[in-house]
Amino acid sequence: MNIVNEIAGWQSPSNLAIIKYWGKYGNQLPQNPSLSITLSHSFTETIIEYTQMEKGHGLTSDFYFEDQKLPAFKTRIDQFLSKVSGRFNHLNNLHLTIQSKNSFPHSSGIASSASAMSALALCLCTIDEALSGSKTHYNDFLNKASFIARIGSGSACRSVYPYASIWGQISTLPHSHQEYAIPFGDEIHPIFRTLNNDILIVSSDQKSISSTAGHEMMNNNPYAPVRYEQARTKMDLLLNVMKEGDFFAFGNIAENEALTLHALMMSSEPSYVLMKPESLLLIQKIRTFRHDTGYPVFFSLDAGPNLHLLYPADISDSIKTWIHDELLPLCQNNYLIHDKAGKGPSQIEEFSIE
Ligand code: DP6
């Protein structure tokens, strides 16, 4: 007889890398350290109903994304569960009914693997903890969630901490690690804890080359060794800049990293371009505006055509009209998501599942 359903749920945000993770080896280990800002409004909400099954059942699941069964997602979840189940003591012989939804439209072009995989990892850690009957220290809980999330999607390991996270070993940071992210939010200047990050949606089309395929191509990219070295140097610089609160230096690193990422794509074999004409027009507009007005507005890019507009919270009112008049018309269907640095994941305590 199968016993009682229990429920675990987490809301977990996406993140924007300032120093990019691009290139990996082994079991999803990064070729260079990366640093990201944890977002606030772009998140995934995942609820898992779990049922204890008889011995020998193993770990099985059903997956619903926004109330629909999506076979492509289910395959990725199954692969993930089979990779991580051995890392838990109490997830044998369970059936999971996983329900997931995003705060942003699925087809918005926003990468959702970081929020999705971190939400899922947090739920699994909660279930394992509940079944163990003892409470884990919260820091250890997040550390494990980050480790598990990494196996689902590298960038997901950075989503579990407030404001900013670092993933990958850095010689000057003794606690930094290849297998999980560490929090950096406490050490940064307050200007970055209220950082605005407007996502300018240039295209919501599915990417022609997935991030996973892009990482793979780094293995044959002739610039890869120099790139990994450069990322380390820039990381040292960024750590200081973020502690001191030098927004211009921060923005310059963010832009340089974004364009380096896309340059690596263009110099891959086969070469590919993910930016659209509107991405370049937006870059020009942002740089011209910065030059002409002196306002600290910068951009970043993920592995896609959409821009992240980065600026301190205290200039929001002054640049609102410029964003509306100059940038919005270049976005697909005038679509922009106002996001900002955020506090990290939160556990869902109240459930409305039938
Ligand atoms: C450009 O974490 O999506 O966003 O580990 O294969 O799932 P997998 O890749 P993913 O790669 C993210 C790449 C990036 C840069 C970053 O977030 O650091």
Side-chain angles (χ1 to χ4, degrees):
M1 200 185 59
N2 304 330
I3 329 169
V4 204
N5 293 348
E6 299 277 2
I7 300 182
W10 279 87
Q11 176 180 306
S12 188
S14 186
N15 67 72
L16 170 76
I18 302 301
I19 301 283
K20 307 288 185 187
Y21 147 58
W22 200 240
K24 59 177 165 180
Y25 66 93
N27 187 13
Q28 200 105 284
L29 298 170
Q31 291 282 11
N32 63 263
S34 55
L35 185 153
S36 61
I37 301 293
T38 304
L39 297 182
S40 176
H41 303 319
S42 308
F43 58 79
T44 298
E45 234 175 59
T46 296
I47 290 172
I48 304 185
E49 220 175 333
Y50 55 101
T51 310
Q52 193 94 52
M53 310 299 277
E54 61 279 353
K55 249 191 167 160
H57 176 90
L59 182 60
T60 55
S61 71
D62 286 319
F63 179 75
Y64 297 86
F65 182 74
E66 285 163 9
D67 296 327
Q68 305 226 330
K69 282 199 171 187
L70 292 185
F73 283 27
K74 164 81 174 135
T75 309
R76 188 154 181 196
I77 303 269
D78 282 346
Q79 285 167 351
F80 171 62
L81 290 178
S82 74
K83 278 191 203 161
V84 301
S85 60
R87 307 270 177 184
F88 294 98
N89 290 328
H90 304 278
L91 297 193
N92 296 319
N93 309 322
L94 285 188
H95 180 75
L96 312 177
T97 302
I98 307 171
Q99 310 217 31
S100 207
K101 58 183 183 198
N102 290 341
S103 63
F104 45 92
H106 172 47
S107 57
S108 63
I110 297 185
S112 61
S113 69
S115 54
M117 286 300 173
S118 55
L120 190 53
L122 286 156
C123 288
L124 295 180
C125 291
T126 294
I127 297 171
D128 194 57
E129 183 185 61
L131 294 174
S132 77
S134 63
K135 194 92 186 126
T136 318
H137 191 284
Y138 194 53
N139 290 349
D140 296 335
F141 177 88
L142 290 182
N143 177 261
K144 171 116 187 203
S146 178
F147 179 100
I148 296 294
R150 180 202 98 236
I151 296 171
S153 179
S155 55
C157 75
R158 298 184 312 237
S159 276
V160 306
Y161 292 114
Y163 305 114
S165 304
I166 292 169
W167 171 37
Q169 209 149 26
I170 301 173
S171 53
T172 50
L173 286 182
H175 298 296
S176 59
H177 209 282
Q178 289 291 87
E179 294 182 307
Y180 49 80
I182 58 168
F184 191 56
D186 280 349
E187 292 174 56
I188 59 179
H189 189 278
I191 198 168
F192 299 114
R193 283 202 281 270
T194 54
L195 176 74
N196 275 343
N197 180 340
D198 291 346
I199 310 171
L200 306 165
I201 307 297
V202 164
S203 167
S204 55
D205 295 349
Q206 185 112 27
K207 281 185 280 183
S208 51
I209 306 269
S210 72
S211 286
T212 304
H215 287 291
E216 176 80 31
M217 281 188 229
M218 281 299 278
N219 295 334
N220 300 318
N221 189 313
Y223 300 109
V226 184
R227 154 63 191 161
Y228 302 144
E229 205 39 55
Q230 174 212 38
R232 281 193 180 84
T233 310
K234 279 199 252 174
M235 179 64 91
D236 289 341
L237 200 63
L238 183 65
L239 295 179
N240 285 330
V241 156
M242 288 191 74
K243 284 178 193 165
E244 284 161 13
D246 184 342
F247 205 94
F248 278 89
F250 166 82
N252 281 325
I253 296 173
E255 291 194 353
N256 189 286
E257 274 291 292
L259 295 177
T260 299
L261 171 71
H262 284 258
L264 289 164
M265 295 171 187
M266 292 181 209
S267 57
S268 283
E269 191 61 67
S271 157
Y272 62 108
V273 181
L274 294 185
M275 279 191 281
K276 303 271 184 208
E278 290 80 4
S279 317
L280 289 173
L281 286 171
L282 284 165
I283 289 172
Q284 259 177 351
K285 292 234 177 229
I286 293 164
R287 287 188 159 174
T288 304
F289 181 72
R290 185 168 74 231
H291 179 262
D292 292 350
T293 64
Y295 278 125
V297 270
F298 293 87
F299 67 86
S300 182
L301 292 151
D302 267 331
N306 304 323
L307 261 81
H308 289 249
L309 187 70
L310 307 173
Y311 55 95
D314 65 1
I315 65 162
S316 299
D317 284 345
S318 316
I319 66 167
K320 214 187 252 168
T321 310
W322 167 69
I323 294 175
H324 182 272
D325 294 352
E326 299 284 326
L327 306 187
L328 213 54
L330 291 167
C331 298
Q332 191 175 44
N333 305 322
N334 288 321
Y335 188 33
L336 173 159
I337 297 174
H338 291 291
D339 212 332
K340 55 185 183 147
K343 290 183 187 154
S346 56
Q347 190 163 6
I348 302 168
E349 308 283 359
E350 284 179 20
F351 302 97
S352 57
I353 286 186
E354 295 298 301

